[in-house]
């Protein structure tokens, strides 16, 4: 089901948390709400499921205006970060709870619970209490309970934050699998960009209560609209240097480095200060523009090394390359970048 | 995985088939407001009935002279000797009082009808009918008239006849002022309004409004004594036991291993969990003239006596001990958990410095107990001020009122005393003093412990 | 930190300080089943004669079983009333968005600190006026009302520890606020409710002044009042009898206290006054 937030705003007393946010989630799509802590992701989620009253704007599920309906009538499935399983019920009872509330007949409830338990692979745990389950298993139960009544939307608030690294990897694909199999519209709240990129069809990047950009993960990575987006996606992160437009080229401040304007950017008039973003994987032995600096740090990552190189003016760029033995700390290096992979931003952070 | 495939295939199409339940029958129970009001209602009713109303009523009763004598519901009007005395002394209407007090004989239809009932000779009735409306102020005069009737009834009949016409108001009781007035007017038709008002007030047996209670409270020397007793009791118990001794227990148990510490805490907790009646009984066993203390000291040649009541000094010692032992446990628990919360590193640092134990106590423990001490002092001041059970059961204010404290004085004035004359109004006035102190102090505590920090807005907003 | 200092002097000092208490409670047991020669406190014979009150009712006094039943009824009813009312009102204060919520919270705090016993004169008169004087119903209501503010305060504390997410999940699952409270939240605070019930039961069982003033006589006498009147009766002074009745009366308290002391210490230390 399509979800539409239309000019939605939310404030707590005098504190405006979200202002005039418009966001559409397509039917069957899984959207990631990605942003730093405190930017209003959970607030948005709570507004969609009706735990918060909105201060302004409308919320539609399909064509239906849900803004003033209580949570109980919105039929939204939510998986909380803490899973929020009912500790005094066993797994089967937990999953059955939404059906009980709907007064379904007992046999039907049993059938649906079993079906759901199979889907999330917990068929053998039905008699256990939540306290007797591992984090990943609790996660699955929470998912089953959210899905069993076929909700209009599935909301996931940092569902993986409490899991260890290995489980997180496993559940990432599990959740995606289940979402695809059920075809449900889903919103995933996270501040982990890897999670967002690997699980979702599209990503909405939020900052300070506003959506900065919505795009597919690939598009967003390749084509960030602002420095914030560019900085948020990518690990190791992008590096920025300040520069100035000069003679149709970009001259890095206080350094003897001149880079061409990438083909997709408009050439700024001379003297315009700009910010250049260079992703680590784009700085290396190949490319058409030269960058000189001194290796200031080497981080071994196994297959690859991450090199920090310090420019004349003190700013630091990062480069990720296969492990090379010919470079050591404090070496002067002369590397290159592909100018078509550069991002150029105006001083206010907007992409040029 | 057929089950899940089923979901996949029918997924989007079937979405909403198990949509939310229809609006429940009691939809208002689903809002915070509706459910909240329902759930809080019983508590609210209890508060209104047993806190709000009694606070107001204490104030109301304090302005009455209610007592066992006046009763607490309305009263009646009785022309008692006392009432007549009041009429004479206070209103200067001695004449009226005399008239009302005297037996009076009135020849009226009612009396004649009574004679007919008694099957008295018709001639006598006819004879008396002729004197209808006459009043006689003494029995002898009236009986002479009867005897002078032509039929000459015998002495016994004369008595019966005169009784039938007796219209005395002495000791008569009337349910309403109206009945009183019409009876009085039958005897003295020319009552002035002043006389009526005086009569009404003098004969009223119920309670009435007055500010005398407060005048009495302020002027009575007894008040000063009780006030002083109360202040002494609260201050001494609070200082010695509720904070001082409690702190001693908390610190001492902090420095010994957990097991014995636990045992001592349980021992010192016994006074609090024991019902007051038994707890005090145990003290009595210790203190009475055949009790443990007497028997023990007898060995040293000290005469057995009731240690609890033999002198004012001893009585105070016991009152403070008995109340203090109960009070110490609260402070003990609170201080002990405060000490436990002090970071261990502080203690280690101190012992490295070579600080001795008492220095630890002075420089580490005591500074950390500032707030708990304030808290305990606040709470216990009020509860000591109003505590009654232990003192009532041990000395009952004795000997000779030496340990009579305010709350106990209220009990003795209004609720229970040997004389059986309970002065509700005066007791309410005394209670009002404590009620006002209680309200002021509890509001003060609210400020002190800044309750605003406790109020977080509910996270579910509807 | 305490390692280099000996602890036995402290233990010794504490033992001496605690001796009177220990002595009193020890003799509460000893005296009920023994006789001692006059002037001595060393028992010389075992006897059950002091327990005769259990089957033999002295003239002019209600039967001990009647009185025990009254006490039980009194304590059970007040504690039940307290937990029902408090678990409802505590939830409102902890979780629900009601108008004037801050006012209610402040009210509970003030009531909790306020010494209700000062109202006893007014309550005494009101009960007489409405005909509930010397009835169990009357004192039960009064006692429950007086214990209630503490109960509400404690319950609010217990509810505060239940994660909001559980309630949010319940609402999303389609349950009404009432169902969420009844089916999802109440089960989480069961231990708290039990502790409060136990506490209120012991308070009710031990209560003396309220029944003494509001329901003192005959059919509605409770154990505390019965024992107090037994002791106050100057004609029959029998310490061993008083202690036997006393032990009979205090035994449930001690047993419950020793079994559940952790529950109780928390409540006593946390919020009760006295
Ligand atoms: N009940 C509230 N009252 C006042 N301010 C609130 C309330 N709830 C949230 N906020 C504020 O709203 C902002 C957004 O909060 P929100 O919980 O939506 O952040 P988030 O993006 O989910 O962060 P996180 O990743 O840490 O969960 C924060 O600055 C927070 O302080
Ligand atoms: Mg959040």
């Amino acid at each position: 089901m399509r979800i539409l937030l239309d000019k939605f705003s939310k404030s707590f007393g005098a504190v405006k948390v979200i202002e005039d946010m418009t966001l559409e989630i397509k039917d069957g799509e899984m959207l990631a709400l990605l942003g730093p802590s405190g930017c209003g992701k959970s607030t948005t989620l709570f507004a969609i499921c009706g735990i918060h009253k909105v201060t302004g704007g409308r919320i539609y599920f399909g064509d239906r205006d849900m803004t003033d309906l209580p949570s109980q009538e919105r039929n939204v499935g939510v998986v909380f970060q803490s899973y929020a399983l009912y500790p005094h019920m066993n797994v089967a009872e937990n999953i059955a709870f939404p059906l009980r509330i709907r007064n379904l007949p007992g046999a039907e409830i049993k059938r649906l619970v079993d079906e759901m338990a199979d889907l999330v692979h917990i068929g053998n745990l039905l008699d256990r209490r939540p306290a007797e389950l591992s984090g990943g298993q609790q996660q699955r139960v929470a998912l089953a309970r959210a899905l069993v009544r076929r909700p209009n939307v599935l909301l996931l608030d940092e569902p993986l934050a409490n899991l260890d690294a290995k489980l997180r990897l496993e559940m990432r694909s599990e959740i995606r699998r289940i979402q695809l199999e059920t075809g449900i519209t889903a919103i995933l709240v996270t501040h982990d960009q890897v999670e967002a990129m690997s699980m979702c069809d599209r990503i909405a990047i939020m900052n300070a209560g506003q959506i900065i950009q919505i795009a597919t993960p690939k598009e967003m990575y390749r084509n960030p609209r602002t420095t914030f987006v560019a900085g948020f996606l990518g690990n190791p992160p992008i590096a920025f240097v300040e520069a100035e437009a000069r003679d149709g080229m970009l001259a890095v401040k206080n350094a003897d480095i001149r880079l061409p304007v990438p083909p997709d950017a408009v050439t700024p008039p001379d003297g315009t200060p700009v910010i250049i973003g260079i992703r680590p994987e784009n700085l290396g032995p190949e490319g058409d523009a030269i960058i000189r600096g001194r290796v200031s740090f080497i981080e071994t990552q196994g297959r690859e090394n991450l090199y920090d190189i310090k420019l004349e003016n003190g700013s630091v760029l990062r480069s990720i390359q296969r492990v090379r033995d010919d470079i050591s700390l404090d070496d002067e290096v002369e590397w290159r970048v592909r100018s078509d992979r550069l991002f150029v931003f105006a001083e206010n952070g907007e992409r040029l | 995985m057929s089950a899940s495939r089923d979901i996949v295939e029918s997924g989007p199409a079937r979405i909403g088939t198990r949509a939310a339940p229809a609006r429940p029958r009691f939809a208002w129970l689903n809002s915070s407001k509706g459910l909240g009001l329902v759930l809080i209602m019983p508590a609210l009713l209890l508060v209104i009935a047993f806190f709000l109303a009694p606070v107001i009523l204490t104030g109301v009763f304090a302005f009455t002279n209610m007592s066992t004598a006046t009763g607490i519901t309305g009263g009646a009007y009785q022309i008692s000797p006392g009432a007549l005395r009041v009429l004479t002394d206070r209103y200067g209407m001695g004449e009226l009082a005399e008239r009302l007090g005297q037996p009076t004989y009135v020849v009226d239809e009612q009396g004649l009808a009574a004679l007919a009932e008694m099957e008295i000779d018709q001639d006598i009735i006819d004879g008396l009918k002729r004197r209808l409306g006459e009043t006689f102020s003494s029995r002898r005069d009236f009986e002479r008239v009867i005897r002078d009737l032509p039929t000459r009834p015998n002495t016994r009949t004369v008595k019966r006849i005169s009784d039938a016409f007796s219209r005395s108001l002495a000791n008569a009781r009337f349910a309403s002022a109206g009945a009183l007035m019409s009876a009085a007017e039958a005897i003295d038709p020319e009552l002035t309004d002043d006389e009526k008002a005086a009569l009404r007030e003098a004969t009223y047996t119920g309670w009435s409004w007055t500010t005398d209670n407060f005048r009495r409270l302020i002027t009575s020397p007894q008040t000063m004594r009780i006030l002083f007793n109360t202040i002494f009791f609260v201050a001494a118990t609070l200082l010695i036991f509720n904070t001082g001794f409690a702190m001693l227990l908390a610190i001492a148990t902090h420095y010994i291993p957990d097991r014995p510490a636990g045992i001592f805490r349980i021992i010192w907790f016994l006074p609090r969990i024991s019902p007051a009646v038994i707890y005090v009984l145990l003290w009595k066993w210790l203190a009475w003239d055949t009790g443990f203390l007497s028997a023990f000291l007898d060995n040293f040649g000290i005469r057995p006596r009731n240690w609890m009541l033999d002198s004012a000094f001893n009585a105070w010692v016991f009152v403070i001990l008995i109340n203090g032992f109960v009070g110490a446990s609260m402070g003990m628990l609170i201080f002990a958990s405060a000490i436990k919360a002090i970071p261990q590193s502080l203690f280690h640092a101190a012992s490295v410095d070579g600080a001795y134990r008492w220095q630890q106590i002075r420089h580490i423990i005591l500074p950390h107990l500032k707030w708990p001490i304030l808290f305990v002092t606040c709470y216990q001041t009020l509860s000591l001020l109003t505590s009654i059970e232990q003192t009532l059961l041990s000395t009952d204010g004795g000997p000779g009122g030496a340990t009579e404290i305010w709350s106990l004085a209220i009990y003795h004035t209004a609720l229970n005393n040997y004389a059986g004359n309970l002065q509700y109004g005066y007791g309410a006035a005394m209670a009002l003093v404590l009620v006002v102190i209680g309200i002021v102090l509890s509001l003060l505590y609210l400020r002190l412990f800044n309750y605003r920090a406790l109020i977080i807005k509910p996270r579910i907003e509807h | 930190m305490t390692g280099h200092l000996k602890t036995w002097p402290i233990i010794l000092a504490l033992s001496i300080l605690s001796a009177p208490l220990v002595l009193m409670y020890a003799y509460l047991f000893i005296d009920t089943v023994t006789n001692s020669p006059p002037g001595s406190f060393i028992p010389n014979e075992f006897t059950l004669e002091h327990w005769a009150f259990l089957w033999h009712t002295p003239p002019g006094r209600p039967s001990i079983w009647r009185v025990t039943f009254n006490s039980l009824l009194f304590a059970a009813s007040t504690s039940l009333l307290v937990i029902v009312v408090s678990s409802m009102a505590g939830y409102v204060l902890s979780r629900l968005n009601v108008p004037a919520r801050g006012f209610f919270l402040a009210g509970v705090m003030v009531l909790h600190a306020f010494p209700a016993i000062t109202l006893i004169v007014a309550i005494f008169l009101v009960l007489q006026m409405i005909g509930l004087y010397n009835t169990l119903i009357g004192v039960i209501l009064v006692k429950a009302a007086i214990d209630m503010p503490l109960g509400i305060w404690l319950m609010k504390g217990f509810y505060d520890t239940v994660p909001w997410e559980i309630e949010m999940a319940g609402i999303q699952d389609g349950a009404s606020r009432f169902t969420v409270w009844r089916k999802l939240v109440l089960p989480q605070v069961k231990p708290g409710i039990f502790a409060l019930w136990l506490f209120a039961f012991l308070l009710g069982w031990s209560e003396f002044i309220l029944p003494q003033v509001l329901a003192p006589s005959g059919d509605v006498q409770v154990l505390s009042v019965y024992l107090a009147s037994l002791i106050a009766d100057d004609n029959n002074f029998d310490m061993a009898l008083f202690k036997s009745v006393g032990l009979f009366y205090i035994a449930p308290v001690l047993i419950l206290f020793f079994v559940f002391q952790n529950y109780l210490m928390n409540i006593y230390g946390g919020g009760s006054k006295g």
Side-chain angles (χ1 to χ4, degrees):
Chain A
M1 184 170 291
R2 180 191 71 125
I3 313 290
L4 175 64
L5 303 184
D6 188 15
K7 297 217 177 65
F8 143 69
S9 14
K10 171 73 197 173
S11 40
F12 296 103
V15 189
K16 283 199 172 125
V17 175
I18 296 196
E19 243 187 306
D20 278 347
M21 177 201 280
T22 299
L23 173 66
E24 186 179 350
I25 302 114
K26 295 184 196 125
D27 188 13
E29 177 183 46
M30 181 140 171
L31 179 99
L33 270 186
L34 180 63
S37 186
C39 70
K41 305 178 301 279
S42 301
T43 307
T44 309
L45 217 66
F46 284 158
I48 295 174
C49 64
I51 284 170
H52 286 174
K53 287 177 177 163
V54 303
T55 323
R58 307 262 97 196
I59 296 172
Y60 299 92
F61 288 6
D63 294 327
R64 201 157 160 226
D65 185 348
M66 302 301 248
T67 319
D68 299 317
L69 283 185
S71 302
Q72 289 91 340
E73 290 171 48
R74 295 194 189 188
N75 198 23
V76 174
V78 185
V79 174
F80 295 90
Q81 177 176 340
S82 59
Y83 317 135
L85 298 180
Y86 310 132
H88 58 295
M89 300 181 182
N90 67 22
V91 170
E93 288 163 339
N94 261 284
I95 301 176
F97 185 77
L99 305 175
R100 287 254 145 72
I101 293 295
R102 287 163 173 74
N103 287 323
L104 258 59
E108 173 83 350
I109 290 180
K110 184 160 177 1
R111 191 180 67 77
L112 290 168
V113 168
D114 288 343
E115 189 181 297
M116 202 35 82
D118 280 346
L119 176 69
V120 300
H121 303 331
I122 48 167
N124 53 334
L125 304 174
L126 287 177
D127 298 329
R128 297 221 200 146
R129 289 284 171 95
E132 301 161 348
L133 300 178
S134 72
Q137 290 166 333
Q138 291 187 33
Q139 175 81 79
R140 289 168 192 266
V141 178
L143 214 56
R145 188 183 62 190
L147 288 172
V148 73
R149 74 268 198 15
R150 288 173 207 276
N152 292 324
V153 211
L154 177 66
L155 306 180
L156 306 137
D157 192 353
E158 311 209 12
L160 305 176
N162 283 355
L163 300 178
D164 64 38
K166 190 168 160 288
L167 255 180
R168 201 176 299 172
L169 216 64
E170 178 190 330
M171 284 313 290
R172 223 148 70 185
S173 48
E174 273 297 283
I175 292 177
R176 180 58 164 167
R177 170 185 69 83
I178 293 162
Q179 188 264 334
L180 287 174
E181 279 185 31
T182 51
I184 191 167
T185 314
I187 302 178
L188 171 83
V189 161
T190 177
H191 50 225
D192 180 347
Q193 43 122 1
V194 182
E195 224 169 274
M197 294 210 282
S198 61
M199 289 171 74
C200 296
D201 299 310
R202 285 196 303 159
I203 297 176
I205 284 225
M206 280 185 77
N207 190 25
Q210 296 208 305
I211 292 192
I212 313 281
Q213 184 174 4
I214 306 185
T216 60
K218 206 159 140 196
E219 165 70 10
M220 193 169 275
Y221 189 79
R222 293 250 180 96
N223 215 349
R225 191 172 294 162
T226 65
T227 46
F228 178 81
V229 176
F232 211 87
L233 292 188
N235 185 24
I238 194 169
F240 296 105
V241 285
E242 288 177 15
E244 200 180 76
R246 204 177 296 153
D247 312 332
M249 297 283 276
L250 303 171
V252 174
K253 272 187 188 156
N254 305 326
D256 184 20
I257 298 172
R258 311 185 97 219
L259 300 170
V261 179
D264 56 350
V266 268
T267 312
D270 273 12
T272 321
V274 295
I275 298 167
I276 302 173
I278 303 172
R279 289 207 186 275
E281 63 269 29
N282 296 332
L283 176 60
E286 283 137 45
D288 52 353
I290 296 171
I291 286 185
R292 265 173 241 101
R294 196 167 43 78
V295 177
S296 63
F297 184 70
I298 303 178
E299 183 185 315
T300 311
Q301 294 192 335
R303 203 153 24 91
E304 288 156 335
N305 272 1
L306 180 66
Y307 304 94
D308 281 8
I309 62 170
K310 201 167 197 169
L311 308 186
E312 259 169 277
N313 65 359
S315 27
V316 175
L317 292 180
R318 277 180 285 264
S319 163
I320 193 155
Q321 302 177 32
R322 62 179 177 74
V323 176
R324 311 168 46 158
D325 299 326
D326 56 334
I327 292 178
S328 51
L329 211 58
D330 280 342
D331 282 359
E332 294 284 344
V333 292
E334 192 178 289
W335 279 338
R336 290 149 194 277
V337 283
R338 284 178 56 180
S339 58
D340 59 337
R341 296 279 168 84
L342 292 180
F343 304 133
V344 184
F345 304 93
E347 226 181 359
N348 64 2
E350 294 283 337
R351 183 87 176 276
L352 285 175
Chain B
M1 284 295 289
S2 71
S4 56
R5 194 160 314 120
D6 168 49
I7 295 176
V8 180
E9 280 156 9
S10 54
R14 276 182 55 187
I15 270 174
T17 46
R18 279 198 294 282
R23 242 169 227 278
R25 246 171 309 159
F26 301 102
W28 49 274
L29 265 188
N30 192 25
S31 76
S32 236
K33 241 179 244 165
L35 181 64
L37 290 181
V38 171
L39 291 186
I40 210 163
M41 200 45 75
L44 210 56
L45 290 179
L46 280 182
V47 168
I48 291 171
F50 295 103
F51 286 93
L52 253 39
V55 165
I56 294 167
L57 287 175
T58 305
V60 172
F61 292 139
F63 286 93
T64 70
N65 62 357
M66 282 187 191
S67 68
T68 325
T70 66
I72 53 171
T73 48
Y77 297 85
Q78 185 168 24
I79 307 184
S80 61
L84 293 178
R85 213 173 309 122
V86 169
L87 207 55
T88 313
D89 297 349
R90 198 183 300 164
Y91 298 94
M93 297 177 181
E95 209 180 310
L96 175 64
E98 205 168 304
R99 246 177 296 150
L100 291 172
Q102 272 171 2
T104 311
Y105 297 84
V106 182
V107 183
D108 55 9
E109 292 289 357
Q110 185 194 342
L112 293 173
L115 291 194
E117 292 256 300
M118 283 147 65
E119 295 177 356
I120 302 286
D121 198 315
Q122 189 61 39
D123 288 346
I124 298 178
I125 300 180
D126 288 344
L128 284 172
K129 212 177 239 163
R130 250 171 274 131
R131 313 191 70 126
L132 198 64
E134 278 184 44
T135 317
F136 303 87
S137 61
S138 85
R139 184 175 208 119
R140 199 169 344 115
D141 291 350
F142 184 45
E143 288 187 350
R144 190 177 309 128
V145 171
I146 300 170
R147 241 178 256 119
D148 287 349
L149 286 172
T151 342
R152 288 200 163 271
N154 64 23
T155 315
R156 228 183 104 237
T157 318
V158 169
K159 245 193 154 39
R160 286 173 66 204
I161 294 171
S162 65
D163 277 349
F165 290 96
S166 167
R167 294 290 175 267
S168 171
L169 288 186
N171 288 320
R173 214 178 148 86
F174 303 92
S176 72
L180 167 73
M181 285 312 145
S182 55
E185 276 177 331
I187 287 169
D188 186 349
E190 278 133 38
L191 282 178
T192 66
D193 280 349
D194 277 354
E195 282 174 325
K196 280 185 189 170
L199 184 61
R200 209 180 300 135
E201 273 177 34
T203 58
Y204 187 60
T205 64
W207 56 269
S208 54
W209 302 104
T210 172
T211 53
D212 281 352
N213 296 327
F214 295 101
R215 209 164 301 133
R216 197 175 138 199
L217 200 58
I218 291 167
T219 54
S220 161
Q222 188 70 6
T223 309
M224 277 317 291
R225 185 167 172 212
I226 295 171
L227 190 66
F228 178 77
N229 282 350
T230 311
I231 293 172
F232 171 70
F233 165 72
V234 172
T237 317
L238 194 66
L239 225 63
I240 301 174
F241 280 102
N242 295 25
T243 52
F245 189 63
M247 209 142 41
L248 185 85
L249 283 177
I251 294 174
T253 49
H254 172 71
Y255 279 114
I256 60 179
D258 282 349
R259 271 200 89 100
I263 293 174
F264 281 120
R265 286 203 188 117
I266 287 182
I267 290 176
W268 283 97
F269 219 75
L270 285 174
R272 176 167 295 267
I273 56 142
S274 302
V277 185
I278 302 172
Y279 170 65
V280 174
L281 175 70
L282 296 180
W283 280 94
K284 283 187 166 170
W285 168 78
L286 204 69
W288 277 9
D289 43 10
T290 53
F292 186 85
L293 211 54
S294 292
F296 182 70
L297 293 175
D298 201 20
N299 299 332
F300 304 97
I302 296 172
R303 172 179 59 81
R305 61 184 108 155
N306 185 345
W307 289 91
M308 199 182 276
L309 286 172
D310 76 322
S311 71
F313 180 81
N314 284 354
W316 271 121
V317 169
F318 272 96
V319 165
I320 291 174
L321 277 174
I322 291 174
N323 281 287
F325 274 35
V326 177
S329 56
M330 179 190 180
M332 174 184 75
L333 283 190
I334 290 175
F335 297 148
S337 62
I339 294 176
K340 214 176 193 173
I342 300 175
Q344 281 294 318
S345 54
L346 286 182
F347 287 111
H348 286 303
S351 61
V352 168
D353 286 343
Y356 286 107
R357 206 177 275 169
W358 68 268
Q359 278 171 321
Q360 271 185 5
I361 294 170
R362 224 176 88 84
H363 296 298
I364 301 167
I365 295 183
L366 288 187
H368 274 92
L369 290 185
K370 237 181 357 210
W371 269 97
I373 289 174
L374 183 63
F375 177 79
V376 169
T377 307
C378 281
Y379 255 87
Q380 305 260 355
T381 311
L382 251 192
S383 62
L384 281 173
L385 207 55
T386 54
S387 94
I388 174 167
E389 291 191 341
Q390 279 81 13
T391 317
L392 167 68
L393 289 164
S394 54
T395 64
D396 197 15
T403 57
E404 182 91 341
I405 49 177
W406 198 278
S407 53
L408 201 55
I410 297 174
Y411 179 82
H412 286 147
T413 307
L415 300 171
N416 200 330
N417 61 28
Y418 293 117
N421 175 31
L422 306 178
Q423 299 165 283
Y424 307 131
Y426 189 48
M430 297 183 75
L432 190 61
V433 174
L434 283 190
V435 170
V436 170
I437 294 177
I439 292 175
V440 170
L441 285 186
S442 17
L443 285 173
L444 213 67
Y445 299 164
L446 194 62
R447 286 257 76 89
L448 204 61
F449 296 110
N450 187 15
Y451 85 104
R452 259 170 218 297
L454 292 163
I455 305 181
I456 341 148
K457 257 193 121 14
R459 287 180 57 195
I460 299 178
E461 294 185 344
H462 70 105
Chain C
M1 78 217 153
T2 56
H4 62 292
L5 291 165
K6 292 208 169 83
T7 57
W8 67 262
I10 302 180
I11 296 186
L12 186 71
L14 273 179
S15 305
I16 293 171
L17 280 177
S18 315
L21 265 181
V22 176
L23 196 75
M24 287 193 288
Y25 280 86
Y27 269 95
L28 172 61
F29 290 93
I30 296 170
D31 280 353
T32 60
V33 289
T34 59
N35 279 328
S36 313
S40 161
F41 283 88
I42 313 218
N44 62 353
E45 65 171 340
F46 176 83
T47 173
L48 284 178
E49 69 187 57
H50 308 307
W51 290 89
F53 72 92
L54 287 181
W55 51 88
H56 171 76
T57 302
R61 299 209 172 272
S63 130
I64 183 77
W65 297 111
R66 173 76 216 218
V67 176
T68 308
F69 174 76
N70 285 343
S71 263
L72 208 58
L73 191 65
F74 176 70
S77 315
T78 51
S79 51
L80 197 71
L81 212 56
V82 167
I83 59 170
V84 169
V85 174
S86 309
S87 57
M88 289 163 68
Y91 184 64
V92 179
L93 296 190
S94 170
R95 288 297 159 91
L96 296 180
N97 210 353
V98 284
R101 182 161 162 271
F103 176 79
F104 283 129
L105 262 171
V108 170
M109 279 190 79
V110 171
L111 285 180
H112 175 35
F114 179 76
I117 196 71
T118 54
L119 301 175
I120 196 163
V121 177
I123 291 175
F124 170 77
L125 294 177
V126 169
L127 288 194
Q128 290 213 325
M129 286 172 184
I130 62 178
L132 285 180
Y133 175 72
N134 216 11
T135 62
L136 270 181
I137 301 259
V139 255
I140 287 172
L141 285 174
V142 174
K143 177 69 176 157
I146 289 179
D147 289 350
M148 182 193 66
L150 172 66
I152 296 180
W153 194 245
L154 288 172
M155 284 311 301
K156 177 193 176 293
F158 295 136
Y159 284 123
D160 283 347
T161 65
V162 177
W164 269 104
E165 280 75 16
I166 287 192
E167 285 189 62
M168 293 178 176
I171 287 177
Q172 296 312 322
D173 284 348
S176 68
R177 290 307 294 266
F178 177 77
T179 310
V180 168
W181 172 63
R182 221 354 244 103
K183 292 270 171 59
L184 302 181
V185 179
L186 265 187
Q188 316 301 321
V189 295
K190 258 194 212 148
I193 292 182
F194 173 73
L196 177 60
W197 173 82
L198 192 68
F199 185 71
F201 184 88
L202 290 182
L203 280 187
W205 184 260
S206 308
E207 180 64 44
F208 167 65
I209 195 77
L210 286 180
Q212 164 77 8
V213 171
L214 303 177
S217 61
D219 280 351
V220 295
Q221 228 173 36
V222 292
L223 264 169
S224 56
V225 178
Y226 173 85
L227 180 56
S229 70
L230 211 59
I231 297 171
D233 184 354
D234 293 333
N235 301 325
N236 295 299
F237 183 82
D238 180 355
M239 185 54 87
L241 169 68
F242 302 162
K243 283 194 170 180
S244 306
V245 178
L247 185 57
F248 177 77
Y249 174 34
I250 201 180
V253 178
L254 293 182
I255 292 169
L256 287 175
F257 174 64
F258 285 125
V259 175
F260 298 110
Q261 46 164 307
N262 289 338
Y263 279 90
L264 290 170
M265 287 272 198
N266 278 340
I267 292 190
Y268 278 110
S272 86
K273 41 186 172 174

